[in-house]
Amino acid sequence: MARVALVTGGVRGIGAAIARALQSAGYRVAATYAGNTKAAEAFHAETAIPVFQWDVGDFAACGAGVKQVEAALGPIEILVNNAGIVRDSSLHKMTKAQWDAVINTDLNALFNMCRSVIEGMRSRKFGRIVNIASINGQKGQFGQTNYSAAKAGELGFTRALALESARVGITVNAICPGYTHTEMLDAVSPEVMKDVILPQIPIGRLGRPEEIARAVVFLAADEAGYITGSTLSINGGQYMGG
Ligand code: NDP
């Protein structure tokens, strides 16, 4: 029987490309979303991938959601923590609500989701967890103390859980995309894109969601069992540090 993969925020953007790529690779896939029912229904109609709605920032909802997915598809063996938001502002103008929203959705969600699947993975002695972090967690970004902190936190979480899980067949890895063409970038003006962002990218263009998805399929494979605790940068050469 094909393994079951769950992609959070898997109905739009990078997550939708990941869900599609895992489906093409033969996995049985479920995707979650927060509130964009229209996008979720359109995605389901096109792919037949079952969709589930809950807030990844809500611990109880994650536990209940995981139970729902497992009742429908079977034990989750691959978890892709992809859901994420931005609420940009310089720190001196940032509200507590902007800080909390990003920490909750981008970082606390990793605890909420991993805690909900880890015991099952440990008992079955197999698991693949892939956390979608960001280049801005590696290098920092103006206006993103909240997002950079959450995404850097994801990298520490990834390494610690990789250590804890190494002996029981579970790998935990992170991917740091650079600028990738999704609705998340709609907030960026065309002038800033052309004059500020594109000149920073040696390859000279934005990434495509499918280019991130390809790496998830690679890390999810049974054959990727010796890769754990790693951070894979996919950013067109924009940042080559750790
Ligand atoms: P999008 O905004 O296109 O999609 C985000 C997805 O996450 C949506 O499906 C959304 O649900 C879901 N989501 C948001 N908040 C929650 C929540 N609280 N609970 C459950 N689901 C939620 O984002 P991208 O595809 O651009 O980004 C995907 C990931 O990649 C994020 O973690 C992001 O930080 C990261 N990333 C993106 C980059 C980029 O350039 N695009 C660069 C680097 C990293 P709904 O559809 O219901 O709104």
Side-chain angles (χ1 to χ4, degrees):
M1 188 75 114
R3 295 194 186 280
V4 172
L6 176 66
V7 184
T8 67
V11 308
R12 293 195 288 119
I14 293 172
I18 293 169
R20 282 199 180 90
L22 287 168
Q23 184 188 47
S24 300
Y27 295 93
R28 287 181 298 140
V29 182
T32 81
Y33 66 104
N36 191 334
T37 307
K38 214 171 146 198
E41 284 174 356
F43 175 80
H44 174 67
E46 202 188 312
T47 62
I49 290 173
V51 295
F52 298 83
Q53 180 181 7
W54 74 80
D55 176 4
V56 292
D58 178 336
F59 180 64
C62 288
V66 162
K67 282 210 178 81
Q68 219 189 331
V69 171
E70 294 196 329
L73 277 87
I76 295 165
E77 297 183 291
I78 293 126
L79 169 65
V80 184
N81 287 306
N82 165 80
I85 57 168
V86 287
R87 295 286 183 272
D88 292 0
S89 169
S90 304
L91 185 71
H92 62 279
K93 294 182 193 152
M94 187 175 287
T95 63
K96 178 79 164 61
Q98 287 174 313
W99 173 265
D100 287 342
V102 170
I103 298 298
N104 205 39
T105 304
D106 294 43
L107 181 58
N108 290 343
L110 261 61
F111 171 78
N112 298 342
M113 287 304 303
C114 292
R115 185 67 188 83
S116 301
V117 300
I118 199 75
E119 287 179 81
M121 287 182 176
R122 289 179 71 89
S123 68
R124 293 184 300 272
K125 300 210 173 344
F126 181 87
R128 297 281 182 265
I129 296 173
V130 182
N131 298 321
I132 307 300
S134 169
I135 185 175
N136 293 344
Q138 295 172 297
K139 71 171 187 56
Q141 176 65 299
F142 189 99
Q144 289 195 333
T145 49
N146 50 2
Y147 186 78
S148 296
K151 294 298 184 178
E154 287 194 30
L155 301 182
F157 180 100
T158 297
R159 293 171 191 140
L161 187 59
L163 283 174
E164 291 181 11
S165 309
R167 288 292 174 96
V168 283
I170 304 167
T171 67
V172 190
N173 293 287
I175 294 175
C176 286
Y179 288 103
T180 308
H181 196 202
T182 70
E183 288 168 41
M184 190 177 258
L185 292 188
D186 284 353
V188 178
S189 73
E191 296 74 42
V192 169
M193 183 58 70
K194 181 169 151 289
D195 300 334
V196 181
I197 294 178
L198 287 177
Q200 295 174 35
I201 305 172
I203 286 182
R205 64 166 174 84
L206 299 179
R208 290 186 281 269
E210 296 72 25
E211 292 174 308
I212 312 301
R214 180 174 160 73
V216 175
V217 173
F218 172 74
L219 292 170
D222 282 27
E223 296 78 5
Y226 205 58
I227 307 173
T228 197
S230 73
T231 298
L232 181 55
S233 296
I234 307 179
N235 60 31
Q238 187 185 352
Y239 181 75
M240 301 183 189

